[in-house]
Amino acid sequence: MKTEIDQFAARCNFPAPGQPFRCGVSGGADSLAMMILAVHVGCDVTAIYVDHGLRADSEKDGEFVAAMAKKFGAQFSSVKVEVGEGGNIEARARAARHEALGDAAIAHTADDLAETMIINLLRGAGPQGLSGPQLSFRHPVLQLRRADTERVCALHEVQWLNDPMNSDQRFVRNRIRHEVLPLLSDIAQRDVVAVLTRQSPLFAEQSEFINALADQLDPTDANALAAAPPVVAKAAIRQWLRATEVENHPPDQATVERVMAVVNNQATGTDIGGGRRVERTNRKLRIEVGNTAP
């Protein structure tokens, strides 16, 4: 009979036993549970702690993660990054962390997925943004809930760290987590996280089909875009713009529509945000940086 830990592990997507598995571990319940479960299934685990230096006790958190890695038989690595001063510290810290982790696994849960879907919806993202991340070696615990990861830690008598930034109501994700999703669940009289995450693979399938067609288009060729079905042309534009965006966020629908206006000769250029513009010359599109002229 499977133990409770085996049942949790069966819902995850880890490499085969003995294979290397690098994962970001902050000391929170989600990332600790990911590390514990990866070790449980026999992976050769390396826990990576990213120190943003945003809190005075960040080094102590790293020491805690190192101790947990040793306790469960994982290797440990620490990476220090500089976030710097400025606005939108949440986004910049996230970007720095993702850059430091590279292709290492991230402990996003089903609850994180639901939050991401709502955030992308508010940004005006298309099907790709609404699909969110999918279960993979990069997101191996995506089918677990936060309550599940806390249970994994509790079963191993591990007290995880609580990052105070996760309760800071200045951040959009935290307001969605603590206000929006509970309110939606109350209104719907059901767990909307489960409802949203069931839709995620459906959006992903649609997005993958459309993007496969979009990949066949040159997003800088206005004639090719104009001749393609609009949904495919817009997907090609969205992929093009996303690849040039600092945090790889999908552009909102309004931005894509403005670029389509350039494609259809309704404008010669348009602002796409971040100090960038799309310009058209001889039916070829290009992105200009630092030019925000109307």
Side-chain angles (χ1 to χ4, degrees), residues 9-47:
R11 292 159 55 192
C12 300
N13 192 70
F14 293 116
Q19 293 299 306
F21 179 72
R22 300 170 59 253
C23 57
V25 182
S26 66
D30 296 344
S31 58
L32 283 175
M34 175 174 65
M35 180 190 73
I36 291 169
L37 291 171
V39 171
H40 178 77
V41 300
C43 294
D44 182 9
V45 180
T46 298

Side-chain angles (χ1 to χ4, degrees), residues 66-148:
M68 288 297 100
K70 182 177 181 179
K71 173 182 174 68
F72 289 99
Q75 300 175 66
F76 174 76
S77 174
S78 179
V79 181
K80 193 173 184 63
V81 298
E82 295 292 336
V83 177
E85 298 181 358
N88 200 359
I89 191 170
E90 179 189 28
R92 291 186 295 107
R94 181 173 58 250
R97 179 172 65 253
H98 286 185
E99 182 178 357
L101 289 174
D103 61 356
I106 299 173
H108 285 165
T109 64
D111 298 88
D112 292 303
L113 174 56
E115 294 161 8
T116 298
M117 293 174 72
I118 292 179
I119 289 172
N120 287 342
L121 178 63
L122 295 177
R123 287 184 178 134
Q128 184 173 3
L130 290 175
S131 68
Q134 298 298 299
L135 188 67
S136 63
F137 290 159
R138 171 75 167 166
H139 298 95
V141 297
L142 207 58
Q143 292 184 351
L144 299 183
R145 299 293 297 270
R146 286 201 185 99
D148 296 330

Side-chain angles (χ1 to χ4, degrees), residues 210-280:
I210 294 171
N211 286 341
L213 298 177
D215 285 340
Q216 301 174 30
L217 291 177
D218 177 358
T220 68
D221 186 339
N223 289 332
L225 293 172
V231 67
V232 177
K234 292 175 184 178
I237 291 170
R238 187 175 290 108
Q239 291 174 343
W240 180 44
L241 298 186
R242 182 174 189 174
T244 65
E245 207 273 335
V246 175
E247 292 188 45
N248 200 33
H249 285 152
D252 60 34
Q253 188 61 29
T255 299
V256 174
E257 293 292 350
R258 290 198 303 273
V259 177
M260 282 297 295
V262 177
V263 169
N264 293 323
N265 292 323
Q266 296 167 347
T268 59
T270 185
D271 183 15
I272 58 172
R276 302 175 301 148
R277 284 179 61 82
V278 167
E279 300 283 355
R280 187 194 72 241

